[in-house]
Amino acid sequence: MAFHLTTEPTVFRAALREQFETFLDEHRSALHDSLDGLTEEQARRSLVTSKTTLLGLVKHATFVEKVWFDEAITCRPRSEIGIPGTPDESFDLHDDDTVASVQRAYRETCAASRRTTADLTLDDVVRGNRRGPLPLRWVYLHTLRELAQHCGHADILREQVLGGPARTV
């Protein structure tokens, strides 16, 4: 998995919102692309004692996006959004989950996240999260933190699945 970090000087001088969104999109892409070139068996391969698989990570990232950019912003319940009640359940794979279907769902969810926040400012408060009211900037930072962690997991799992180094920066 090749993970390319933004090194463009324009991003260094960009507004904070643009920097957040650039970094989020880089991590979203890296996680999405962690499934590229894998067979269905490789993507589902369990290499750790938890439910974490490469396919499960991307499926979980879809859940994360919906929790923070749908539930937290729209105040809709998880049952209405169509997501599990807990993060642990979001790693569960079903027979109809494929690399293509999970990547598609993730791409569509990330696009919906961008649309949902388009008219908000970093200081706007979202009220639908279980932690209580939070400014959008906190949602961006938290999501970036979680995606960065999962990109690291994906690098390691992909290296194990493919039997060699998985990352070039």
Side-chain angles (χ1 to χ4, degrees):
M1 178 171 88
F3 184 49
H4 300 286
L5 301 173
T6 297
T7 57
E8 294 299 317
T10 56
V11 175
F12 299 155
R13 291 185 287 281
L16 185 59
R17 169 82 178 245
E18 184 180 343
Q19 290 177 351
F20 279 156
E21 290 176 351
T22 296
F23 284 26
L24 277 169
D25 282 342
E26 286 175 347
H27 285 79
R28 287 168 171 155
S29 292
L31 198 53
H32 172 278
D33 296 349
S34 71
L35 296 174
D36 286 353
L38 297 181
T39 67
E40 297 298 329
E41 183 278 326
Q42 289 171 321
R44 288 174 169 272
R45 190 175 298 163
S46 179
L47 299 165
V48 293
T49 58
S50 70
K51 294 181 182 182
T52 307
T53 64
L54 282 162
L55 193 63
L57 273 173
V58 179
K59 189 171 181 180
H60 171 71
T62 302
F63 167 84
V64 169
E65 290 279 338
K66 289 182 178 188
V67 165
W68 289 107
F69 296 103
D70 192 336
E71 179 185 40
I73 293 172
T74 68
C75 300
R76 295 187 315 148
R78 291 180 183 190
S79 59
E80 184 180 319
I81 296 168
I83 58 175
T86 67
D88 188 54
E89 294 171 284
S90 71
F91 285 90
D92 292 345
L93 297 175
H94 305 288
D95 291 342
D96 60 343
D97 289 327
T98 65
V99 169
S101 71
V102 169
Q103 282 183 315
R104 180 177 52 256
Y106 187 52
R107 276 192 313 273
E108 290 170 358
T109 299
C110 290
S113 295
R114 289 183 204 96
R115 286 190 303 273
T116 301
T117 58
D119 294 331
L120 300 176
T121 71
L122 292 176
D123 293 323
D124 281 339
V125 174
V126 301
R127 302 191 181 285
N129 187 264
R130 296 169 184 193
R131 288 181 175 92
L134 297 163
L136 183 62
R137 88 176 57 247
W138 191 93
V139 171
Y140 274 27
L141 285 168
H142 175 77
T143 305
L144 182 58
R145 174 176 56 192
E146 186 154 346
L147 291 176
Q149 178 184 18
H150 293 321
C151 283
H153 295 147
D155 277 347
I156 292 166
L157 290 174
R158 192 170 164 93
E159 183 175 330
Q160 289 177 320
V161 164
L162 296 176
R167 183 177 186 168
T168 57
V169 179

